[in-house]
Amino acid sequence: MQIKAEPAATERATLLILKELAIKVGHLKIAPTEIRDNANLFDDCGLDSASVVDMVFGVEDAFGITIPEEEIDAELFQNVSKLAEFVDAKRAGARGE
């Protein structure tokens, strides 16, 4: 299952896609609606340092962005909403907004 974002995805859609990716990467058996918007991807979704790599690749693929290695840190994955803001900012930058 490949998850792709539409170019005009809203913040809500970004959150949903990130939650779906977390479920896929974390091998969770829950619905995206069961993940709070401010959920910690490590504590609440079971991601670890190895699965963060899969999450980064999934985010890059789903949203058509590149996340430079120097921008990847644990703090970025502490909150689904903050990750969504980061992704939306990257997408806006890629479109030249």
Side-chain angles (χ1 to χ4, degrees):
M1 175 178 109
Q2 190 172 23
I3 301 168
K4 283 281 188 193
E6 293 299 317
T10 64
E11 182 180 347
R12 196 103 213 73
T14 301
L15 280 167
L16 179 61
I17 292 167
L18 291 174
K19 290 175 184 183
E20 290 172 347
L21 283 169
I23 289 168
K24 181 180 174 186
V25 170
H27 305 288
L28 303 174
K29 305 286 187 221
I30 61 173
T33 55
E34 294 180 63
I35 300 175
R36 296 180 330 274
D37 289 352
N38 64 347
N40 182 300
L41 291 168
F42 294 106
D43 297 338
D44 300 325
C45 299
L47 267 62
D48 58 22
S49 57
S51 57
V52 166
V53 173
D54 292 334
M55 188 74 179
V56 169
F57 287 141
V59 168
E60 289 179 329
D61 188 49
F63 294 99
I65 61 173
T66 300
I67 303 173
E69 190 174 323
E70 62 271 8
E71 292 183 22
I72 300 169
D73 63 23
E75 191 172 311
L76 184 58
F77 295 89
Q78 292 297 313
N79 182 296
V80 178
S81 292
K82 290 204 183 293
L83 181 57
E85 289 173 14
F86 173 84
V87 167
D88 286 342
K90 283 296 218 189
R91 293 178 75 212
R95 291 190 305 262
E97 293 177 5

